[in-house]
Amino acid sequence: VNFAAESHVDRSIMDASPFVKTNVLGTQTLLDGSRKYRVKRFIQISTDEVYGSLGAKGKFCEESPLMPNSPYSASKAAADLLCRAYHHTYGMPVIITRSSNNYGPYQFPEKLIPLVITNAAEGKSVPVYGDGLNVRDWLYVEDNCRAIDLVLQKGLPGEIYNIGGGCEVSNIELVKTILARMKKPLSLIEYVKDRPGHDRRYALECSKIEVQLKCKQAGSLDMSLDKTIMWYLDNVEWWKRVKSGDYQKYYKKQYKSR
């Protein structure tokens, strides 16, 4: 299963090189090795971002065209196309999954949900891009892993499976929900300049995996979001150590420039 990836859009905008090396050339290396040793299944873990941006209505299905808008999503789309080519040309048993935004324990604090939780826990401002109305579909990491395992066991080679959480919410609504559950003031919210090429909305049509593999969307943020908040509050030493490194210096520089 190809989980390895550079996955943060902000960093890909600053420097696309690591994303091309890891997501494209790294995937090619794994494909070549898997082909050499005749692996029985190669699962490419991709993202809903390869489809591009949606308006207020509609959802992406597996046949939707790839229209990535960031260096990160472009590198993932390129990797997906490599996987497709290896299946078509060499007959490799490749399957692609495209998941919506994940969240849960051990997620680096550069991502929205842990960034909000950890900043709020420290009484620091919580940055929100633009007007905060960009919409994402949220998927708890354990639900994604269960779906991926099902694809690994029962998925058909050459197929693509969307994996969504069924939980669409705007960034600002999500931030306010987290602050409310942590009993933190909304005054911590700081609107910052929007990032370049910021996709407005993602949403996935997931009937294929639901019908073919009997995998249902979770459909609720409530319990999993509470579990996630509690995990970060119970593991302060871990995320403080993470945030004290180069990552934190990068973000201070980024927010100062905005």
Side-chain angles (χ1 to χ4, degrees):
V1 180
N2 182 18
F3 280 105
E6 289 281 355
S7 64
H8 195 52
V9 175
D10 281 21
R11 285 191 285 105
S12 81
I13 293 170
M14 295 294 292
D15 183 5
S17 298
F19 292 77
V20 174
K21 290 175 183 175
T22 300
N23 298 349
V24 184
L25 297 180
T27 298
Q28 182 214 347
T29 300
L30 291 174
L31 284 166
D32 287 340
S34 298
R35 180 175 169 238
K36 178 181 178 180
Y37 292 102
R38 300 180 182 179
V39 299
K40 294 182 178 179
R41 289 286 173 94
F42 186 101
I43 311 297
Q44 162 71 359
I45 308 301
S46 191
T47 170
D48 56 1
E49 296 188 39
V50 299
Y51 295 122
S53 185
L54 277 170
K57 296 181 179 179
K59 294 184 177 183
F60 291 122
C61 68
E62 288 84 354
E63 289 75 35
S64 296
L66 302 186
M67 299 182 68
N69 290 319
S70 71
Y72 159 62
S73 57
S75 70
K76 292 299 289 183
D80 288 3
L81 293 176
L82 263 181
C83 289
R84 180 183 184 279
Y86 271 62
H87 172 73
H88 181 77
T89 302
Y90 305 116
M92 277 191 63
V94 172
I95 306 172
I96 298 171
T97 66
R98 292 180 179 145
S99 305
S100 56
N101 280 36
N102 275 217
Y103 68 98
Y106 288 105
Q107 189 174 34
F108 266 42
E110 63 184 5
K111 302 297 180 123
L112 179 60
I113 288 179
L115 178 65
V116 175
I117 296 169
T118 57
N119 275 25
E122 294 182 295
K124 296 179 179 178
S125 64
V126 174
V128 175
Y129 281 134
D131 59 10
L133 298 181
N134 302 76
V135 173
R136 299 294 182 263
D137 175 26
W138 293 94
L139 173 65
Y140 189 57
V141 63
E142 290 181 8
D143 295 325
N144 191 28
C145 289
R146 276 190 286 269
I148 291 167
D149 182 61
L150 192 59
V151 170
L152 180 63
Q153 303 301 326
K154 299 181 179 180
L156 301 177
E159 293 290 343
I160 300 167
Y161 296 96
N162 285 345
I163 304 173
C167 301
E168 284 187 60
V169 62
S170 69
N171 289 346
I172 189 60
E173 183 181 348
L174 178 62
V175 169
K176 288 180 178 179
T177 297
I178 294 171
L179 292 177
R181 294 188 180 193
M182 293 180 68
K183 294 182 171 53
K184 297 292 184 178
L186 297 183
S187 58
L188 289 178
I189 296 172
E190 179 186 359
Y191 289 92
V192 297
K193 183 180 178 182
D194 210 352
R195 73 181 178 207
H198 198 177
D199 289 338
R200 194 61 168 173
R201 174 175 170 256
Y202 304 136
L204 292 176
E205 163 58 53
C206 299
S207 59
K208 183 175 180 178
I209 195 170
E210 291 175 357
V211 172
Q212 289 189 10
L213 305 185
K214 311 300 180 188
C215 180
K216 298 294 183 183
Q217 290 181 316
S220 174
L221 266 172
D222 291 338
M223 289 182 60
S224 297
L225 187 57
D226 284 340
K227 280 196 297 184
T228 301
I229 292 170
M230 288 308 302
W231 187 90
Y232 281 93
L233 295 182
D234 289 340
N235 291 273
V236 175
E237 287 187 10
W238 178 84
W239 57 258
K240 280 198 171 183
R241 186 168 63 250
V242 172
K243 292 182 77 168
S244 67
D246 291 339
Y247 144 85
Q248 185 69 2
K249 295 174 186 175
Y250 163 79
Y251 268 91
K252 282 182 179 178
K253 181 181 178 182
Q254 282 295 93
Y255 293 134
K256 206 173 281 186
S257 69
R258 294 188 175 102

